[in-house]
Every structure is written in C-alpha cells, then in structure tokens.
Amino acid sequence: MPTTLVITNDFPPTLGGIEAFIGQICGALGDVVVLTRRHPQAAAHDRALPFPIHRRSGLLLPTPATLRVARQLMERHSATRVVFGAAAPLGLLAPGLRRSGATHLLAISHGHETWWARLPIARALLRRIGDHVDAVSYISGYTHAAIAPALSPPARAAMVRLPPPVDPARFRPQHEDLDGAHSGLATPDPGAAESVGRPNRHRPTVIAAGRFIHQKGFDTLLTAWARVLTAWPVGRPVPQLVMVGDGPLRATLQASVQRLPHPDSVRFTGPLPHASVPREMARGDVFALPVRTRWWGLNPEGLGMVFVEAAACGLAVIAGRSGGTGDTLVPGESGVLVEPEDPETLAAHLLDLLTDLPRARAMGAAGRAHVQEHFSPDTTAAVLRQVLDLG
C-alpha cells in the first residue's frame, strides 16, 4: 500500500476531538508517516505507535521550512499521498508537495474552516487550497453548507463527507463490563479522578465532557443542574453530574459547584486520555453539553465528536444547538437539541430523562443505531481509500 504523509498540528497525546479524529485516520490508513508539533509527553506515546512520527517545535504553518521538512519526509519514506489534518492553513502546502511527487492530496476540514469561508482574504486562501488538493472533506451538513460556497465549482463537486469515525466495539454500553454501569455507579479508575463527594450506587448520572472553555457551555449546565437539584423528587437518590475534562474555567466551575444545593452531586474527573473516555461514558444515563457558538457566528461546533461517542455508549444526548451538532442525534428519538443560553429548558429535559431511566435508555439505544449507520469506521476507511486511491 502506498505510504501517506499526514501533516497536522492536532495529534495525540494532545487531548481533543480533532486530535482523536486524526489519530483514528492514521490508524485507518496504516502505512503513514506523521509530521506534527512537539508535545512534552510525546516520547512514550510515539514509541507505542506502529508508524513514524516526526515532531517540530512550534505551530506548523505553511512556510518554506515546513515545506522543506515535508518534502524530506516524502522522499525518505517514499510517500506519494498527503493528508492535511486541517485544511486551513496547512493545505496551502499542496502545490509545493504536488511538485515534489504527491499524486493524491486530501484536506480535512473541521469547524474553523467555516470562518475562513466567511472572511474575504481567508476565503480566497481556502479557495486556493481547494483547487490544489484532490478533495476537501467535511464533517457535517453544516460545515459543508458553510465551506462549499467558498470553493471553485470543481473543488465543490469533489468534496467528500468524512465525519470522525467511532468504533462501536470501544464506545459501547457496558452493562456487562461495569458493575452497576447504568445504575449510576461513578467510581473512577484508581488515580484518574478528583471526587467532590462520595459516589453512590443507584444514582441517575449525567456525563459532560469537553474542554472547560466558554464555548462548551459548562456554565449553563451548572445553572441548569441547580434547578434539577431544587426540583428533584424527595426520597429519590440525588442524581450526580460527572464533568470530564480540564481547562481555564476549571476553578470558576468548581467554585460554582460549591454554591449548589448538593455540592457533592458533582464530580470532576480531571483530564482523561481518550482511551479512558468510553469507560467513564458508560457509567452514565444521559450526556449533556449545551455548546454554544461564539464570536458573532464565526466559532460554531463543526460537529461535536463527543456527542457521537456518548450516543455510541448508549446515552441519551442533550446537545446545544450550534453548527453541526444536529447531525449527532435524531431529535426526539436519540436526544434533544437545546438553546445554549436556556438553562430552564435544559433542566426540564434533564429532569424528564433522569426520572424516567427506561426512556433514557431507549433513546440511548436509538442513538447507538444512528452512530453505527452514519459514523462507521468502515465508511471512513472506504472514503480514504477512494480519495487517496489506496486500492
């Protein structure tokens, strides 16, 4: 199989949806060499991979220096295919790599290319990228609609759907694997979490995972959680909220938790490696994250990989209405979309599902079926083989 050079700023062990996506792409391609940026914990991570990783200091940009290193890697590894982990701006390297012998080039778009498509100078650069690669991929109907008008007609016609694949064997309901997984047991792996209160069995459980930044809507979630606790039926075990992740708003969110009617109803796990996320997901009944669009519409959620992973684990999903999040669920069947600044409605949906766990599990089963149909690793691999002509 021909070797593929993957050029990306987003790669494990850095945590994030895009990083996980590109890691899976490399696994699907098999014979790859990766050019990415340095990470302080990269040495042990890279040694465990079956393909070579070349790391550079600083952010990779479409500069002559980056082009020179990419050409050297192509020659050293006889690579004739190139994948840009993010179409913009690294896709601007495409003409130079084509001249160096690249026969097939794919530029993967996520969410940030949508604002490139709206700003005049960036829009022209995005059009140039589309004209010099074989295909620009998109992850959702929303990102396709936003990016396509910026491309030339031939590049627009060559766009391919390449959403992040989710392995249903890894992300799955784990009723058999976890004692009490769907009864609300929330005991973390040893050393993996910081507990705010002691976890109990038989507690309806909400999972929320993401970077603790304003866009992810954790502030709205905690406001809604206060309403849930206030309205919770007397005599029932108090539900719990498990917040997975880390970020600049962590201290602010922890302070907000201390003002809740039941501060011990919230647990922070801290950052988890992607391999540990499925087990934590499977401890819940509902996944909720009211993500929002920022910067006057320029910073939406391109898709929301975490919603797809939660659905694959059999959780009912409550997602904020932003960008392509609607593609991750079937409204009313596998989950609901909420306005990110409406904690009252979010609280009402949480109460409905947490007090009716059979309904939540039915929605989770519908969500898993949706993931298996639309986010299959086999479908992703087939698209990669077709665009890169890998046979």
Side-chain angles (χ1 to χ4, degrees):
M1 182 177 292
T3 299
T4 301
L5 171 62
V6 178
I7 307 175
T8 180
N9 280 300
D10 309 295
F11 195 74
T14 302
L15 300 178
I18 296 178
E19 288 79 3
F21 182 11
I22 301 304
Q24 291 170 311
I25 292 294
C26 292
L29 289 169
D31 191 358
V32 301
V33 55
V34 177
L35 173 58
T36 187
R37 56 179 167 171
R38 289 180 183 167
H39 187 283
Q41 284 84 47
H45 171 272
D46 293 355
R47 281 196 300 269
L49 294 177
F51 46 81
I53 312 294
H54 185 89
R55 292 186 181 266
R56 301 274 293 173
S57 60
L59 189 70
L60 295 184
L61 295 171
T63 62
T66 303
L67 178 60
R68 182 172 60 254
V69 174
R71 284 171 164 169
Q72 291 170 351
L73 290 173
M74 286 180 60
E75 181 177 1
R76 186 184 311 163
H77 296 275
S78 301
T80 56
R81 273 66 173 168
V82 176
V83 171
F84 298 105
L90 290 173
L92 292 169
L93 296 169
L97 296 179
R98 184 83 75 179
R99 290 192 297 269
S100 297
T103 59
H104 298 77
L105 299 99
L106 168 66
I108 299 176
S109 73
H110 304 281
H112 75 274
E113 287 86 359
T114 61
W115 69 257
W116 278 68
R118 296 179 183 178
L119 301 178
I121 295 176
R123 182 183 178 94
L125 294 175
L126 188 59
R127 185 182 183 94
R128 184 186 304 175
I129 291 169
D131 286 340
H132 287 283
V133 299
D134 293 282
V136 174
S137 72
Y138 60 93
I139 58 174
S140 65
Y142 169 83
T143 58
H144 179 272
I147 295 169
L151 303 181
S152 66
R156 193 180 310 149
M159 291 183 76
V160 294
R161 179 181 178 270
L162 190 72
V166 174
D167 183 356
R170 287 186 59 239
F171 289 88
R172 68 187 189 278
Q174 298 183 34
H175 304 75
E176 303 84 8
D177 300 338
L178 291 175
D179 179 22
H182 269 276
S183 63
L185 177 62
T187 303
D189 294 335
E194 302 167 11
S195 181
V196 184
R198 297 176 60 187
N200 294 321
R201 293 178 183 271
H202 314 298
R203 295 176 67 181
T205 299
V206 176
I207 306 291
R211 183 159 167 75
F212 293 166
I213 57 176
H214 185 66
Q215 183 182 8
K216 300 304 178 181
F218 285 99
D219 55 331
T220 300
L221 177 59
L222 287 180
T223 300
W225 192 246
R227 296 173 184 271
V228 169
L229 295 174
T230 300
W232 191 252
V234 176
R236 290 198 178 194
V238 175
Q240 65 178 336
L241 169 62
V242 179
M243 297 176 65
V244 180
D246 202 356
L249 294 182
R250 180 184 182 128
T252 300
L253 296 173
Q254 289 177 321
S256 297
V257 166
Q258 296 308 313
R259 295 190 291 270
L260 292 173
H262 296 277
D264 61 348
S265 69
V266 178
R267 179 167 63 86
F268 290 86
T269 70
L272 295 180
H274 193 248
S276 300
V277 172
R279 183 175 178 86
E280 195 66 56
M281 287 276 198
R283 302 179 194 277
D285 301 292
V286 177
F287 183 90
L289 199 64
V291 295
R292 52 168 65 94
T293 299
R294 300 187 303 163
W295 302 341
W296 305 280
L298 294 178
N299 187 213
E301 284 286 329
L303 176 75
M305 184 175 179
V306 71
F307 299 119
V308 183
E309 293 172 341
C313 289
L315 277 65
V317 170
I318 303 177
R321 193 184 304 275
S322 173
T325 57
D327 283 13
T328 67
L329 53 81
V330 182
E333 294 183 21
S334 69
V336 293
L337 290 174
V338 297
E339 296 302 327
E341 310 299 340
D342 185 359
E344 289 189 16
T345 300
L346 173 57
H349 286 301
L350 288 170
L351 279 166
D352 286 346
L353 291 170
L354 294 175
T355 57
D356 188 355
L357 293 184
R359 177 167 172 254
R361 291 168 191 160
M363 295 182 82
R368 180 168 171 82
H370 178 72
V371 171
Q372 290 175 313
E373 180 178 357
H374 297 284
F375 298 90
S376 163
D378 291 340
T379 300
T380 299
V383 172
L384 291 171
R385 287 195 301 270
Q386 177 184 354
V387 174
L388 299 174
D389 191 24
L390 297 176

